[in-house]
C-alpha cells in the first residue's frame, strides 16, 4: 500500500473470476492508489501461482484470500508455498483452526519471506464467516452470539501475533474497544448496487 491515509488506499478490489485475461486486464485498469486486489479460491484454483503473478504485474498488492484451515503442519506448508510463489501482501487463516495452527501460519509466513528475501505477508484471521448467524452457530455447537465469538477469536488471534482479523463491518467498533484500538480489521463484501439481491 502506498498511502494509508487515503480512503482508496484502504480498499482492495475483489477479482472473483476464472477468466485470467479479464482479471489481469481489470487489475491494470484499476489505476494507482488502490490498496490492492483480492484473489480467492475461485481464481487460484483455476490459475494457481502463475495466475496470481500475472495479476500482480499490474503493480497492486495482492490479498490472497484462501482462508487456510487444516492441521498446523499442513497450513504452515501452504503458507510457505504461497509466500514463496505468490509473494502476497496479505493472506488469511481461519481463527477456528486454533492456537497451534495460527502460530504455524504466522511463523511460516515470516520464515518463507526471509528465505525469499521478500516482505512478510500480513497474516490475518477470519473470526466468523459473515454468512453465519446465531442459528448456524447453534447447529455447530456454539452456544453464544456471533459477536461474542468474533471477539473471542479476535482476542486470541491478536495475542498470538496475527496481524489483524476479518469480520463484519458491524463488529469493528467492538473489536477496537475490546481487543486493541489499532487492530487491523478487514471487512469484506461491498457489492455494487446492481449486484445486490
Amino acid at each position: 500500500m502506498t498511502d494509508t491515509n487515503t480512503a482508496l488506499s484502504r480498499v482492495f478490489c475483489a477479482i472473483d473470476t476464472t477468466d485470467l485475461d479479464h482479471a489481469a486486464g481489470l487489475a491494470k485498469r484499476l489505476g494507482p492508489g488502490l490498496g490492492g486486489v483480492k484473489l480467492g479460491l475461485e481464481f487460484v484454483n483455476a490459475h494457481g501461482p502463475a495466475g496470481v503473478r500475472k495479476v500482480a504485474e499490474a503493480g497492486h498488492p495482492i490479498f490472497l484470500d484462501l482462508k487456510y484451515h487444516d492441521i498446523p503442519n499442513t497450513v504452515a506448508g501452504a503458507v510457505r508455498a504461497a509466500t514463496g510463489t505468490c509473494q502476497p501482501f496479505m493472506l488469511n487463516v481461519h481463527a477456528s483452526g486454533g492456537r497451534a495452527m495460527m502460530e504455524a501460519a504466522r511463523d511460516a509466513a515470516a520464515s518463507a519471506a526471509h528465505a525469499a528475501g521478500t516482505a512478510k505477508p500480513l497474516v490475518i484471521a477470519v473470526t466468523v464467516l459473515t454468512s453465519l448467524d446465531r442459528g448456524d452457530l447453534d447447529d455447530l455447537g456454539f452456544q453464544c452470539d456471533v459477536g461474542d465469538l468474533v471477539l473471542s477469536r479476535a482476542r486470541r488471534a491478536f495475542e498470538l501475533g496475527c496481524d489483524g482479523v476479518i469480520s463484519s463491518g458491524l463488529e469493528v467498533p467492538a473489536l477496537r474497544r475490546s481487543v486493541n484500538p489499532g487492530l487491523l480489521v478487514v471487512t469484506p463484501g461491498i457489492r455494487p448496487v446492481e449486484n445486490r439481491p
Side-chain angles (χ1 to χ4, degrees), residues 82-162:
T83 300
T85 61
C86 300
Q87 299 180 356
F89 168 77
M90 179 165 54
L91 56 80
N92 55 9
V93 299
H94 273 286
S96 59
R99 170 188 291 273
M101 191 207 76
M102 285 189 280
E103 288 176 333
R106 177 201 67 201
D107 294 346
S111 64
H114 179 75
T118 61
K120 182 191 86 64
L122 298 178
V123 176
I124 58 174
V126 178
T127 52
V128 176
L129 293 173
T130 55
S131 60
L132 300 180
D133 60 20
R134 176 59 192 262
D136 295 314
L137 293 189
D138 287 343
D139 289 344
L140 293 168
F142 293 98
Q143 302 303 311
C144 63
D145 290 325
V146 171
D148 293 336
L149 187 56
V150 167
L151 288 176
S152 172
R153 288 180 174 172
R155 281 190 201 100
R156 177 53 57 91
F158 183 73
E159 290 165 2
L160 295 176
C162 287

Coordinates of all heavy atoms in Angstrom, one line a residue, residues 82-162:
A82 N 2.7 -20.4 -0.6 CA 2.1 -19.2 -1.1 C 3.0 -18.0 -1.0 O 3.1 -17.2 -1.9 CB 0.8 -18.9 -0.4
T83 N 3.7 -17.9 0.1 CA 4.6 -16.8 0.3 C 5.7 -16.8 -0.7 O 6.1 -15.8 -1.2 CB 5.1 -16.8 1.8 OG1 4.0 -16.7 2.7 CG2 6.1 -15.6 2.0
G84 N 6.3 -18.0 -0.9 CA 7.4 -18.1 -1.8 C 7.0 -18.0 -3.3 O 7.7 -17.4 -4.1
T85 N 5.8 -18.5 -3.7 CA 5.5 -18.5 -5.1 C 4.6 -17.3 -5.5 O 4.7 -16.9 -6.7 CB 4.7 -19.8 -5.5 OG1 3.5 -19.8 -4.8 CG2 5.6 -21.0 -5.3
C86 N 3.8 -16.7 -4.6 CA 2.9 -15.7 -5.0 C 3.3 -14.3 -4.4 O 2.8 -13.3 -4.8 CB 1.5 -16.0 -4.5 SG 0.8 -17.5 -5.2
Q87 N 4.1 -14.3 -3.3 CA 4.6 -13.1 -2.6 C 3.4 -12.2 -2.3 O 3.4 -11.0 -2.7 CB 5.7 -12.4 -3.4 CG 6.9 -13.3 -3.6 CD 8.0 -12.6 -4.4 OE1 7.9 -11.5 -4.9 NE2 9.1 -13.3 -4.5
P88 N 2.4 -12.7 -1.6 CA 1.2 -11.8 -1.3 C 1.5 -10.7 -0.3 O 2.5 -10.9 0.5 CB 0.2 -12.8 -0.8 CG 1.0 -13.8 -0.1 CD 2.2 -14.0 -1.0
F89 N 0.8 -9.7 -0.4 CA 0.9 -8.6 0.7 C 0.2 -9.1 1.9 O 0.6 -8.8 3.1 CB 0.2 -7.3 0.1 CG 0.0 -6.3 1.2 CD1 1.0 -5.5 1.7 CD2 -1.3 -6.1 1.8 CE1 0.8 -4.6 2.7 CE2 -1.5 -5.2 2.7 CZ -0.5 -4.4 3.2
M90 N -0.9 -9.9 1.7 CA -1.7 -10.4 2.9 C -2.3 -11.7 2.5 O -2.7 -12.0 1.4 CB -2.8 -9.3 3.1 CG -3.8 -9.6 4.2 SD -4.7 -8.1 4.8 CE -5.4 -7.6 3.2
L91 N -2.5 -12.6 3.5 CA -3.2 -13.8 3.4 C -4.0 -14.1 4.6 O -3.7 -13.5 5.7 CB -2.2 -15.0 3.0 CG -1.0 -15.3 3.9 CD1 -1.4 -16.1 5.1 CD2 0.1 -16.0 3.1
N92 N -4.9 -15.1 4.6 CA -5.7 -15.3 5.8 C -5.8 -16.8 6.1 O -5.6 -17.7 5.3 CB -7.1 -14.7 5.6 CG -7.8 -15.1 4.3 OD1 -7.4 -16.1 3.6 ND2 -8.9 -14.5 4.0
V93 N -6.1 -17.0 7.4 CA -6.3 -18.3 8.0 C -7.6 -18.2 8.8 O -8.1 -17.1 9.2 CB -5.2 -18.7 8.9 CG1 -3.9 -18.8 8.2 CG2 -5.0 -17.8 10.1
H94 N -8.2 -19.3 9.1 CA -9.4 -19.4 10.0 C -9.0 -19.4 11.4 O -8.2 -20.3 11.8 CB -10.3 -20.6 9.7 CG -11.3 -20.4 8.6 ND1 -12.4 -19.7 8.8 CD2 -11.3 -20.8 7.3 CE1 -13.1 -19.7 7.6 NE2 -12.4 -20.4 6.7
A95 N -9.4 -18.4 12.2 CA -9.1 -18.4 13.7 C -9.6 -19.7 14.3 O -9.1 -20.1 15.4 CB -9.7 -17.2 14.3
S96 N -10.7 -20.3 13.8 CA -11.2 -21.5 14.4 C -10.3 -22.7 14.2 O -10.5 -23.7 14.9 CB -12.5 -21.9 13.7 OG -12.3 -22.1 12.3
G97 N -9.2 -22.5 13.5 CA -8.1 -23.6 13.4 C -7.3 -23.7 14.7 O -6.6 -24.7 14.9
G98 N -7.4 -22.8 15.6 CA -6.8 -22.9 16.9 C -5.4 -22.3 17.0 O -4.8 -21.8 16.0
R99 N -4.9 -22.3 18.2 CA -3.6 -21.6 18.6 C -2.5 -22.2 17.7 O -1.8 -21.4 17.1 CB -3.3 -21.9 20.1 CG -1.9 -21.4 20.5 CD -1.6 -21.9 21.9 NE -2.4 -21.1 22.8 CZ -2.0 -20.0 23.4 NH1 -0.8 -19.4 23.0 NH2 -2.7 -19.3 24.2
A100 N -2.3 -23.5 17.7 CA -1.1 -24.0 17.1 C -1.1 -23.7 15.6 O -0.1 -23.5 14.9 CB -1.0 -25.5 17.3
M101 N -2.3 -23.8 15.0 CA -2.4 -23.5 13.5 C -2.1 -22.1 13.2 O -1.4 -21.8 12.3 CB -3.8 -23.9 13.0 CG -3.9 -23.9 11.5 SD -5.6 -23.5 10.9 CE -5.7 -21.8 11.2
M102 N -2.6 -21.1 14.0 CA -2.3 -19.7 13.7 C -0.9 -19.4 14.0 O -0.3 -18.7 13.2 CB -3.2 -18.8 14.6 CG -4.7 -18.8 14.1 SD -5.7 -17.5 15.0 CE -6.1 -18.4 16.5
E103 N -0.3 -20.0 15.0 CA 1.2 -19.8 15.2 C 2.0 -20.4 14.1 O 3.0 -19.7 13.7 CB 1.6 -20.4 16.6 CG 1.1 -19.7 17.8 CD 1.4 -20.5 19.1 OE1 1.5 -21.7 19.0 OE2 1.5 -19.8 20.1
A104 N 1.6 -21.5 13.6 CA 2.3 -22.1 12.5 C 2.2 -21.3 11.2 O 3.2 -21.1 10.5 CB 1.7 -23.5 12.2
A105 N 1.1 -20.7 11.0 CA 0.9 -19.8 9.8 C 1.8 -18.6 10.0 O 2.5 -18.1 9.0 CB -0.6 -19.4 9.6
R106 N 1.7 -18.0 11.1 CA 2.5 -16.7 11.4 C 4.0 -17.0 11.2 O 4.7 -16.3 10.5 CB 2.2 -16.3 12.9 CG 3.0 -15.1 13.4 CD 3.0 -15.1 14.9 NE 3.8 -16.3 15.4 CZ 3.7 -16.8 16.6 NH1 2.8 -16.3 17.5 NH2 4.5 -17.8 17.0
D107 N 4.5 -18.1 11.8 CA 5.9 -18.4 11.7 C 6.3 -18.8 10.3 O 7.4 -18.4 9.8 CB 6.3 -19.5 12.7 CG 6.1 -19.1 14.1 OD1 5.9 -17.9 14.4 OD2 6.1 -20.0 15.0
A108 N 5.5 -19.5 9.6 CA 5.8 -19.9 8.2 C 5.8 -18.7 7.3 O 6.7 -18.7 6.4 CB 4.7 -20.9 7.7
A109 N 5.0 -17.8 7.5 CA 5.0 -16.6 6.6 C 6.3 -15.8 6.8 O 6.9 -15.4 5.9 CB 3.8 -15.7 6.9
A110 N 6.7 -15.7 8.1 CA 8.0 -15.0 8.4 C 9.2 -15.7 7.8 O 10.0 -15.1 7.2 CB 8.1 -14.8 9.9
S111 N 9.3 -17.0 8.1 CA 10.4 -17.7 7.6 C 10.5 -17.8 6.1 O 11.6 -17.7 5.5 CB 10.5 -19.1 8.2 OG 9.4 -19.9 7.8
A112 N 9.4 -18.0 5.4 CA 9.4 -18.1 4.0 C 9.7 -16.8 3.3 O 10.5 -16.7 2.3 CB 8.0 -18.6 3.4
A113 N 9.3 -15.7 3.9 CA 9.6 -14.4 3.4 C 11.1 -14.1 3.5 O 11.7 -13.5 2.7 CB 8.7 -13.3 4.0
H114 N 11.6 -14.4 4.7 CA 13.0 -14.2 5.0 C 13.9 -15.0 4.0 O 14.8 -14.5 3.4 CB 13.4 -14.6 6.4 CG 14.8 -14.5 6.7 ND1 15.4 -13.3 7.0 CD2 15.8 -15.4 6.8 CE1 16.7 -13.5 7.2 NE2 16.9 -14.7 7.1
A115 N 13.5 -16.3 3.7 CA 14.2 -17.1 2.8 C 14.2 -16.6 1.4 O 15.1 -16.7 0.6 CB 13.7 -18.6 2.8
A116 N 13.0 -16.0 1.0 CA 12.9 -15.5 -0.3 C 13.4 -14.0 -0.5 O 13.5 -13.5 -1.6 CB 11.4 -15.5 -0.8
G117 N 13.7 -13.4 0.6 CA 14.2 -12.0 0.6 C 13.1 -11.1 0.2 O 13.3 -10.0 -0.4
T118 N 11.9 -11.4 0.7 CA 10.7 -10.5 0.4 C 10.1 -10.1 1.7 O 10.4 -10.6 2.8 CB 9.7 -11.3 -0.5 OG1 9.2 -12.4 0.3 CG2 10.2 -11.7 -1.8
A119 N 9.1 -9.1 1.6 CA 8.4 -8.7 2.8 C 7.5 -9.8 3.3 O 6.9 -10.5 2.5 CB 7.6 -7.4 2.4
K120 N 7.4 -9.9 4.6 CA 6.5 -10.9 5.2 C 5.0 -10.5 4.9 O 4.7 -9.3 5.1 CB 6.7 -11.0 6.7 CG 5.8 -12.0 7.3 CD 5.8 -11.9 8.9 CE 4.8 -10.9 9.4 NZ 3.4 -11.2 9.2
P121 N 4.2 -11.4 4.4 CA 2.8 -11.1 4.2 C 2.1 -10.9 5.6 O 2.5 -11.5 6.5 CB 2.2 -12.3 3.5 CG 3.2 -13.4 3.8 CD 4.5 -12.8 4.0
L122 N 1.1 -10.0 5.6 CA 0.3 -9.9 6.8 C -0.5 -11.2 6.9 O -1.1 -11.6 5.9 CB -0.7 -8.7 6.6 CG 0.0 -7.3 6.5 CD1 -1.1 -6.3 6.4 CD2 0.8 -7.0 7.7
V123 N -0.6 -11.7 8.1 CA -1.4 -12.9 8.3 C -2.6 -12.5 9.1 O -2.5 -12.0 10.3 CB -0.6 -14.0 9.1 CG1 -1.5 -15.2 9.4 CG2 0.6 -14.5 8.2
I124 N -3.8 -12.5 8.5 CA -5.0 -12.1 9.2 C -5.9 -13.3 9.4 O -5.9 -14.3 8.7 CB -5.7 -11.0 8.5 CG1 -6.1 -11.4 7.1 CG2 -4.8 -9.7 8.4 CD1 -6.9 -10.4 6.3
A125 N -6.7 -13.2 10.5 CA -7.5 -14.4 10.9 C -9.0 -14.1 10.7 O -9.5 -13.0 11.0 CB -7.3 -14.6 12.4
V126 N -9.6 -15.0 10.0 CA -11.1 -14.9 9.8 C -11.7 -15.3 11.1 O -11.5 -16.4 11.7 CB -11.6 -15.9 8.7 CG1 -13.1 -15.9 8.6 CG2 -10.9 -15.7 7.4
T127 N -12.5 -14.4 11.7 CA -13.1 -14.7 13.0 C -14.3 -15.6 12.8 O -14.3 -16.8 13.3 CB -13.6 -13.3 13.7 OG1 -14.4 -12.6 12.7 CG2 -12.4 -12.5 14.1
V128 N -15.4 -15.1 12.2 CA -16.6 -15.9 11.9 C -17.0 -15.5 10.5 O -17.1 -14.3 10.2 CB -17.7 -15.7 12.9 CG1 -19.0 -16.5 12.5 CG2 -17.3 -16.0 14.3
L129 N -17.3 -16.5 9.7 CA -17.8 -16.2 8.3 C -19.0 -15.3 8.4 O -19.9 -15.6 9.2 CB -18.1 -17.4 7.5 CG -16.9 -18.3 7.2 CD1 -17.4 -19.6 6.5 CD2 -15.9 -17.6 6.2
T130 N -19.1 -14.2 7.6 CA -20.2 -13.3 7.7 C -21.5 -13.9 7.2 O -22.6 -13.3 7.5 CB -19.9 -12.0 6.9 OG1 -19.6 -12.4 5.5 CG2 -18.7 -11.2 7.5
S131 N -21.5 -15.0 6.6 CA -22.7 -15.7 6.2 C -23.4 -16.5 7.3 O -24.5 -16.9 7.2 CB -22.4 -16.7 5.0 OG -21.5 -17.7 5.5
L132 N -22.7 -16.6 8.5 CA -23.2 -17.4 9.6 C -24.0 -16.5 10.5 O -23.6 -15.4 10.8 CB -22.1 -18.1 10.4 CG -21.2 -19.1 9.6 CD1 -20.2 -19.7 10.5 CD2 -22.1 -20.2 8.9
D133 N -25.1 -17.0 11.0 CA -25.9 -16.3 12.0 C -26.0 -17.2 13.3 O -25.4 -18.3 13.4 CB -27.3 -15.9 11.5 CG -28.1 -17.1 11.1 OD1 -27.9 -18.3 11.5 OD2 -29.1 -16.9 10.3
R134 N -26.8 -16.7 14.3 CA -26.9 -17.5 15.6 C -27.4 -18.9 15.4 O -26.9 -19.8 16.0 CB -27.8 -16.7 16.5 CG -28.1 -17.4 17.8 CD -26.8 -17.6 18.6 NE -27.0 -18.5 19.7 CZ -27.2 -18.1 21.0 NH1 -27.2 -16.8 21.3 NH2 -27.3 -19.0 21.9
G135 N -28.3 -19.1 14.4 CA -28.9 -20.4 14.2 C -27.8 -21.3 13.7 O -27.7 -22.5 14.1
D136 N -26.9 -20.8 12.8 CA -25.8 -21.6 12.3 C -24.8 -22.0 13.4 O -24.3 -23.1 13.5 CB -25.0 -20.9 11.2 CG -25.8 -20.6 10.0 OD1 -26.5 -21.5 9.5 OD2 -25.8 -19.5 9.5
L137 N -24.6 -21.0 14.3 CA -23.7 -21.3 15.4 C -24.3 -22.4 16.3 O -23.5 -23.3 16.8 CB -23.4 -20.1 16.2 CG -22.5 -19.0 15.5 CD1 -22.1 -17.9 16.5 CD2 -21.3 -19.6 14.9
D138 N -25.6 -22.3 16.6 CA -26.2 -23.4 17.4 C -26.1 -24.7 16.7 O -25.8 -25.7 17.4 CB -27.7 -23.1 17.5 CG -28.0 -21.9 18.5 OD1 -27.1 -21.5 19.2 OD2 -29.1 -21.4 18.4
D139 N -26.2 -24.8 15.4 CA -26.1 -26.1 14.7 C -24.6 -26.6 14.8 O -24.4 -27.8 14.8 CB -26.4 -25.9 13.2 CG -27.9 -25.7 12.9 OD1 -28.7 -26.0 13.8 OD2 -28.2 -25.2 11.8
L140 N -23.7 -25.7 14.9 CA -22.3 -26.1 15.0 C -21.8 -26.3 16.5 O -20.7 -26.7 16.7 CB -21.4 -25.0 14.4 CG -21.5 -24.8 12.9 CD1 -20.8 -23.5 12.4 CD2 -20.9 -26.0 12.2
G141 N -22.8 -26.2 17.4 CA -22.4 -26.4 18.8 C -21.9 -25.3 19.6 O -21.4 -25.5 20.7
F142 N -22.0 -24.1 19.1 CA -21.6 -22.9 19.8 C -22.8 -22.2 20.4 O -23.7 -21.7 19.7 CB -20.9 -21.9 18.9 CG -19.6 -22.4 18.3 CD1 -19.5 -22.9 17.0 CD2 -18.4 -22.3 19.1 CE1 -18.3 -23.4 16.5 CE2 -17.2 -22.7 18.5 CZ -17.2 -23.3 17.3
Q143 N -22.8 -22.2 21.7 CA -24.0 -21.6 22.5 C -23.6 -20.1 22.8 O -23.5 -19.8 24.0 CB -24.3 -22.4 23.7 CG -24.6 -23.8 23.4 CD -25.8 -24.0 22.5 OE1 -26.8 -23.4 22.7 NE2 -25.6 -24.8 21.5
C144 N -23.5 -19.3 21.8 CA -23.1 -17.9 22.0 C -23.6 -17.1 20.8 O -23.9 -17.6 19.8 CB -21.7 -17.7 22.3 SG -20.6 -18.2 20.9
D145 N -23.6 -15.8 21.0 CA -23.9 -14.9 19.9 C -22.7 -14.8 18.9 O -21.6 -14.9 19.4 CB -24.3 -13.5 20.4 CG -25.6 -13.4 21.2 OD1 -26.5 -14.2 20.7 OD2 -25.7 -12.7 22.1
V146 N -23.0 -14.4 17.7 CA -21.9 -14.2 16.7 C -20.9 -13.2 17.2 O -19.7 -13.4 17.2 CB -22.5 -13.8 15.3 CG1 -21.4 -13.4 14.4 CG2 -23.4 -14.9 14.8
G147 N -21.4 -12.1 17.7 CA -20.5 -11.0 18.2 C -19.5 -11.5 19.3 O -18.4 -11.1 19.3
D148 N -20.0 -12.3 20.2 CA -19.2 -12.8 21.3 C -18.1 -13.7 20.7 O -16.9 -13.7 21.2 CB -20.0 -13.6 22.3 CG -21.0 -12.7 23.1 OD1 -20.7 -11.5 23.2 OD2 -22.0 -13.2 23.6
L149 N -18.5 -14.6 19.8 CA -17.5 -15.5 19.2 C -16.4 -14.7 18.4 O -15.2 -15.0 18.4 CB -18.2 -16.5 18.3 CG -17.3 -17.7 17.8 CD1 -16.6 -18.4 18.9 CD2 -18.1 -18.6 16.9
V150 N -16.9 -13.7 17.7 CA -15.9 -12.8 16.9 C -14.9 -12.2 17.9 O -13.7 -12.3 17.6 CB -16.7 -11.7 16.1 CG1 -15.7 -10.6 15.6 CG2 -17.5 -12.3 15.0
L151 N -15.4 -11.7 19.0 CA -14.5 -11.0 19.9 C -13.5 -12.0 20.5 O -12.3 -11.7 20.7 CB -15.3 -10.3 21.0 CG -16.0 -9.0 20.7 CD1 -16.8 -8.5 21.8 CD2 -15.0 -8.0 20.2
S152 N -14.0 -13.2 20.9 CA -13.2 -14.2 21.5 C -12.1 -14.6 20.5 O -10.9 -14.7 20.9 CB -14.0 -15.4 21.9 OG -13.2 -16.5 22.3
R153 N -12.4 -14.9 19.3 CA -11.4 -15.3 18.3 C -10.5 -14.2 17.9 O -9.3 -14.5 17.7 CB -12.1 -15.9 17.1 CG -12.8 -17.2 17.3 CD -13.5 -17.8 16.1 NE -13.9 -19.2 16.4 CZ -14.7 -19.8 15.5 NH1 -15.1 -19.3 14.4 NH2 -15.1 -21.1 15.8
A154 N -11.0 -13.0 17.9 CA -10.1 -11.9 17.5 C -9.1 -11.6 18.6 O -7.9 -11.4 18.4 CB -10.9 -10.6 17.3
R155 N -9.5 -11.8 19.9 CA -8.5 -11.6 21.0 C -7.4 -12.7 20.9 O -6.2 -12.4 21.1 CB -9.3 -11.8 22.4 CG -10.0 -10.6 22.8 CD -10.5 -10.7 24.2 NE -11.6 -9.8 24.5 CZ -12.9 -10.1 24.5 NH1 -13.2 -11.4 24.3 NH2 -13.8 -9.2 24.6
R156 N -7.8 -13.9 20.7 CA -6.8 -15.0 20.6 C -5.9 -14.7 19.4 O -4.7 -14.9 19.5 CB -7.5 -16.3 20.4 CG -6.6 -17.5 20.2 CD -5.6 -17.7 21.3 NE -6.1 -17.8 22.6 CZ -6.5 -18.9 23.2 NH1 -6.3 -20.0 22.6 NH2 -6.9 -18.8 24.4
A157 N -6.4 -14.3 18.3 CA -5.5 -14.1 17.1 C -4.6 -13.0 17.4 O -3.4 -13.0 17.0 CB -6.4 -13.7 15.9
F158 N -5.0 -11.9 18.0 CA -4.2 -10.8 18.4 C -3.1 -11.2 19.4 O -1.9 -10.9 19.2 CB -5.0 -9.7 19.0 CG -4.3 -8.4 19.3 CD1 -3.8 -7.6 18.3 CD2 -4.0 -8.1 20.6 CE1 -3.1 -6.4 18.6 CE2 -3.3 -6.9 20.9 CZ -2.8 -6.1 19.9
E159 N -3.5 -12.0 20.4 CA -2.5 -12.5 21.4 C -1.4 -13.3 20.7 O -0.3 -13.4 21.2 CB -3.2 -13.3 22.4 CG -4.1 -12.5 23.4 CD -5.0 -13.3 24.2 OE1 -5.0 -14.6 24.1 OE2 -5.8 -12.8 24.9
L160 N -1.8 -14.1 19.7 CA -0.9 -15.0 19.0 C 0.0 -14.3 17.9 O 0.8 -15.0 17.3 CB -1.6 -16.2 18.4 CG -2.4 -17.1 19.4 CD1 -3.2 -18.1 18.6 CD2 -1.4 -17.7 20.3
G161 N -0.2 -13.0 17.8 CA 0.7 -12.3 16.8 C 0.2 -12.2 15.4 O 1.0 -11.9 14.5
C162 N -1.1 -12.6 15.2 CA -1.6 -12.3 13.8 C -1.7 -10.8 13.6 O -1.8 -10.0 14.5 CB -3.0 -12.9 13.7 SG -3.1 -14.7 13.6

